[in-house]
Amino acid sequence: MTDPAPTLSELRDEYEFLDADDRYRLLIDLGRALEPMPDALKTDATLVRGCSAAVWVYPAGSDGDTLHFLADSNAAITKGIIALVLRTVQDRTPADILATDIEGALAPFDLRNQLSSNRTQGIPNMIALIRATAERYAA
């Protein structure tokens, strides 16, 4: 991956031209590039329910204007999906996050058809948690 990190749009353009194996590799690479989440934050309180793999999401804070999330998973492909979700919301204002169609932004990646259903079932729960965090900060 190049620096700075590619935008979601750039990733989508690349993803469209890849075969299934290369799509998996791209997702795994995205997951490897995630900002590290300290093990101390991987608790029952930060665990996303409904995921076949363990997924943790932690709102690492707000600088007053934007929200920053740390997230991790014990599954490489799932980490890549997390990375895609975070590309849609990371370091944006709570109002921007609430106004973002996260599912729509991810739709071109066709994750439900690319991956088994147990790999994607927790995504809506992760998105709901991110939205709930944004709502708390927006209030």
Side-chain angles (χ1 to χ4, degrees):
M1 301 247 299
T2 59
D3 217 89
T7 65
L8 193 66
S9 176
E10 290 166 341
L11 286 171
R12 190 172 45 237
D13 292 345
E14 180 180 349
Y15 194 84
E16 283 179 11
F17 292 103
L18 299 176
D19 64 26
D21 287 346
D22 287 334
R23 286 178 174 186
Y24 282 116
R25 274 191 279 284
L26 176 66
L27 287 173
I28 289 168
D29 287 345
L30 288 172
R32 284 188 184 129
L34 271 178
E35 181 179 353
M37 182 178 190
D39 287 340
L41 295 177
K42 297 175 188 175
T43 66
D44 197 52
T46 61
L47 188 67
V48 176
R49 307 288 176 225
C51 297
S52 60
V55 173
W56 301 272
V57 177
Y58 180 78
S62 168
D63 64 7
D65 294 322
T66 61
L67 290 175
H68 188 83
F69 295 90
L70 295 176
D72 200 1
S73 175
N74 62 353
I77 292 286
T78 304
K79 278 181 79 162
I81 295 170
I82 291 167
L84 289 176
V85 172
L86 290 182
R87 292 279 162 104
T88 66
V89 300
Q90 195 69 286
D91 300 322
R92 297 188 49 199
T93 67
D96 281 349
I97 293 170
L98 293 172
T100 298
D101 179 5
I102 300 169
E103 295 87 350
L106 298 177
F109 291 92
D110 197 23
L111 296 172
R112 292 199 187 284
N113 289 325
Q114 300 297 325
L115 306 168
S116 60
S117 63
N118 66 338
R119 288 275 181 231
T120 57
Q121 66 189 7
I123 295 171
N125 296 352
M126 179 184 173
I127 292 170
L129 190 147
I130 288 169
R131 283 198 178 113
T133 302
E135 285 173 1
R136 279 196 311 277
Y137 278 93

